[in-house]
Amino acid sequence: MAEVELLEIEQRDRRALETASGQAGGRQVFIETYGCQMNLSDSELMMGALQQSGYRPAPRLEDADVVLLNTCAIREHAQERVVGRLAQLSRLKIKRPDLVLGVCGCMAKHLAQNLLDRAPYVDLVAGPDSYRRLPELIAEVSGEPALDVRLDRDEGYLGLDPVRRGGTNAWVTIMRGCDKFCTFCIVPYVRGRERGVAAAEVVRQVEDAAAAGFQEVTLLGQTVNSYSDARHDFADLLRMTARVDGIRRIRFTSPHPSDFSEKVIEAMAEEEKVCRFIHLPVQSGSDAVLRAMKRTYTVCEYLDLVDRLRDAMPGVCLSTDVIVGFPGETEADFEATLALMRTVRYDSAFMFKYSPRKGTVAYREMPDTVSETEKGRRLEATIALQNRISEEINRTYVGQTLEVLVEGDARKGVGQAAGKSDGFKTVVFPRKGVRDNTFVDVEITGSTSRTLMGLLTDASIGECP
Ligand code: SAH
Ligand code: SF4
Ligand code: F3S
């Protein structure tokens, strides 16, 4: 999952809550979301739990009676951002002592009581399995902070309806937790054991999203393709959700390379609504490093999977996650990662410097051998290579016509709209009156490493109101 897109997501999240606000009565809540898509989806559930108890979304943080930060613990940097934000918000509390300031999510679970010691102005600390209890916890705050970071194997948030953000994509969490225990990763410790949401409940949520006007859903899980509810697996779920009327695109993130069964590949290939885009985290191109990371596949097996996916779905777009500077990573190991990236030629990649996480096996047993400067050099080289590859791939789209789901105004350029292609490319084009949440055909006329630029085809302009 992609923490890098955080700021953009945060902005959208904020706009969404603004849109959702406006009902009368109740104390107002503002949720600021950090981290991955799972946290975005959880923030919608948190708002659902709070709304059931009479709270309503605040249009702006300044208007809120309760401010909750839904946080991430994946890298030290992610935590530092939240600590900085909390210090900023503490000033608001001086002006308004009755304001309830809460920290939720993965960092809340990771730091727990330590967080209250470090930031005594925090009123509430709630882990990822405590959101149903949020109204209760807020009520408990009275001078003494409220803390609940217990993990609960049975919590799947069944029956809790999310207050969805606006926009064109509906997140649907199909599983929680993770059982993989990659040695670098904090997720299994802060999110607990893997558990699937019952397929019938997932289908109900997808139907609800369709009824609310969403044409695209993204199924979410830390290892989404290991999904099981005892009766159904991920392939079954793809086929079941593809049957839902009104939904035209199904995406999912993040699959684990070891859980890509032939059955899943077949379902993807056969179901037209399943988008031709796969985020396939590799982490490293060195077998020695993959072993130390406990990633459960070899470079050979990973490359074989890429071949099978491309054979089954010609033109499928791929992205990945890469960590540089893992303990013991030699120059040769690092070169092997670059070589793998040249072989696969990903459409895009999220690239990170290894960040030791207290509580993980790597933290305990593997000294952080690669210096910060060297990690920085390796990261820069990785980013430069990926940018070049992305640019080359994107250039091949010039002249093609892509079907684009219009998401909103482009970040730059007056009168420009932006949307996503089936392969998850961002496409920017002059809006010419087309509405958000509609599908249009765009002929690609230019490209960069991150964006395709184009013009609406005559047929799409003809469909404008
Ligand atoms: N379940 C997802 C991962 C979620 S975390 C998956 O397996 O794809 C998103 C990414 O953060 C990971 O893929 C990894 O590349 C990166 N990451 C996780 N822990 C990290 C750490 N300690 N240091 C640096 N990057 C890390
Ligand atoms: Fe973390 Fe590995 Fe689980 Fe992904 S699969 S969440 S990287 S432990
Ligand atoms: Fe996601 Fe960060 Fe938690 S990546 S699962 S919010 S640690």
Side-chain angles (χ1 to χ4, degrees):
M1 296 205 189
E3 198 228 337
V4 171
E5 287 183 69
L6 177 69
L7 270 178
E8 189 191 333
I9 289 169
E10 238 177 65
Q11 295 302 328
R12 273 192 268 141
D13 204 33
R14 205 167 291 180
R15 281 204 299 272
L17 293 182
E18 283 168 24
T19 331
S21 70
Q23 300 104 326
R27 291 174 83 195
Q28 300 197 67
V29 188
F30 193 91
I31 305 179
E32 205 166 87
T33 309
Y34 297 78
C36 65
Q37 292 91 334
M38 184 70 81
N39 260 14
L40 280 179
S41 169
D42 277 359
S43 290
E44 296 175 346
L45 282 175
M46 286 158 70
M47 197 54 95
L50 288 161
Q51 200 157 281
Q52 268 183 7
S53 296
Y55 289 87
R56 63 193 172 102
R60 298 176 314 153
L61 187 144
E62 298 72 35
D63 303 322
D65 305 294
V66 179
V67 173
L68 302 175
L69 304 190
N70 192 10
T71 62
C72 173
I74 202 81
R75 282 168 291 277
E76 195 57 31
H77 175 67
Q79 283 193 182
E80 280 163 9
R81 284 192 58 201
V82 171
V83 170
R85 183 68 174 142
L86 279 173
Q88 257 180 354
L89 293 174
S90 69
R91 290 199 285 274
L92 240 148
K93 270 214 69 136
I94 296 170
K95 272 194 258 162
R96 290 183 41 205
D98 57 326
L99 176 78
V100 173
L101 180 56
V103 180
C104 306
C106 299
M107 175 180 161
K109 167 68 190 156
H110 189 44
L111 297 182
Q113 181 63 41
N114 285 341
L115 190 56
L116 291 173
D117 299 339
R118 276 167 71 174
Y121 41 83
V122 168
D123 300 299
L124 180 159
V125 177
D129 288 344
S130 308
Y131 300 149
R132 229 183 254 283
R133 286 199 62 225
L134 273 176
E136 225 177 291
L137 291 169
I138 295 172
E140 274 172 28
V141 174
S142 55
E144 284 298 302
L147 174 80
D148 185 353
V149 291
R150 284 170 298 187
L151 290 179
D152 180 352
R153 219 177 245 270
D154 296 325
E155 183 54 280
Y157 293 113
L158 293 191
L160 197 60
D161 287 317
V163 175
R164 291 196 195 287
R165 58 185 187 89
T168 54
N169 172 73
W171 310 110
V172 176
T173 296
I174 67 163
M175 57 176 290
R176 306 186 71 84
C178 179
D179 283 353
K180 291 281 192 284
F181 286 93
C182 301
T183 55
F184 53 82
C185 185
I186 196 71
V187 170
Y189 304 93
V190 292
R191 292 250 166 200
R193 297 290 61 72
E194 179 179 330
R195 56 237 128 110
V197 176
E201 171 75 8
V202 173
V203 170
R204 183 189 72 80
Q205 289 207 20
V206 173
E207 285 168 351
D208 282 356
F214 289 97
Q215 302 183 81
E216 179 181 287
V217 292
T218 303
L219 308 178
L220 293 179
Q222 293 300 342
T223 54
V224 76
N225 51 341
S226 72
Y227 170 86
S228 166
D229 75 345
R231 288 185 54 217
H232 306 91
D233 61 14
F234 187 60
D236 299 331
L237 203 61
L238 282 179
R239 293 191 192 275
M240 288 163 79
T241 47
R243 299 273 131 12
V244 175
D245 286 340
I247 295 299
R248 285 183 56 183
R249 280 183 175 175
I250 295 169
R251 301 188 185 279
F252 56 85
T253 200
S254 296
H256 191 286
S258 300
D259 294 320
F260 249 115
S261 64
E262 282 308 310
K263 196 179 164 199
V264 169
I265 299 177
E266 214 173 276
M268 281 192 75
E270 284 174 15
E271 295 295 342
E272 280 185 8
K273 290 182 184 177
V274 177
C275 290
R276 295 295 178 255
F277 171 78
I278 307 170
H279 181 62
L280 195 63
V282 68
Q283 313 301 358
S284 169
S286 149
D287 279 335
V289 175
L290 287 175
R291 230 181 355 261
M293 287 176 162
K294 197 166 167 276
R295 281 298 286 185
T296 66
Y297 49 84
T298 62
V299 171
C300 238
E301 285 163 347
Y302 183 93
L303 291 177
D304 177 60
L305 172 63
V306 168
D307 285 345
R308 284 185 288 127
L309 291 167
R310 285 181 166 157
D311 284 347
M313 290 163 276
V316 65
C317 294
L318 296 178
S319 72
T320 198
D321 289 342
V322 169
I323 297 177
V324 297
F326 186 76
E329 185 187 73
T330 62
E331 184 61 26
D333 292 324
F334 170 62
E335 287 294 333
T337 299
L338 295 182
L340 177 134
M341 292 170 75
R342 282 190 209 100
T343 304
V344 176
R345 292 179 65 78
Y346 296 100
D347 290 80
S348 59
F350 298 99
M351 295 153 280
F352 310 105
K353 287 194 264 188
Y354 169 68
S355 168
R357 307 312 291 139
K358 201 170 173 185
T360 61
V361 172
Y363 181 90
R364 278 200 307 276
E365 297 175 8
M366 303 176 199
D368 190 12
T369 48
V370 184
S371 71
E372 196 52 33
T373 322
E374 182 56 18
K375 280 182 191 168
R377 186 192 69 80
R378 291 182 188 179
L379 182 66
E380 269 176 41
T382 315
I383 293 173
L385 170 64
Q386 184 54 47
N387 281 348
R388 208 174 61 234
I389 294 171
S390 299
E391 206 175 319
E392 286 167 7
I393 294 177
N394 284 352
R395 210 175 300 141
T396 65
Y397 282 82
V398 174
Q400 291 186 34
T401 296
L402 298 180
E403 188 184 51
V404 174
L405 176 57
V406 186
E407 292 182 340
D409 290 335
R411 265 187 280 181
K412 287 188 232 156
V414 180
Q416 301 281 312
K420 286 278 191 311
S421 71
D422 183 280
F424 210 57
K425 300 277 180 195
T426 299
V427 182
V428 172
F429 55 93
R431 188 184 273 277
K432 294 216 184 323
V434 292
R435 280 166 300 162
D436 290 352
N437 203 25
T438 55
F439 284 90
V440 292
D441 288 330
V442 179
E443 188 185 332
I444 305 306
T445 54
S447 66
T448 67
S449 61
R450 293 177 148 259
T451 313
L452 301 178
M453 287 81 76
L455 297 169
L456 289 166
T457 60
D458 289 346
S460 289
I461 297 173
E463 281 170 16
C464 296

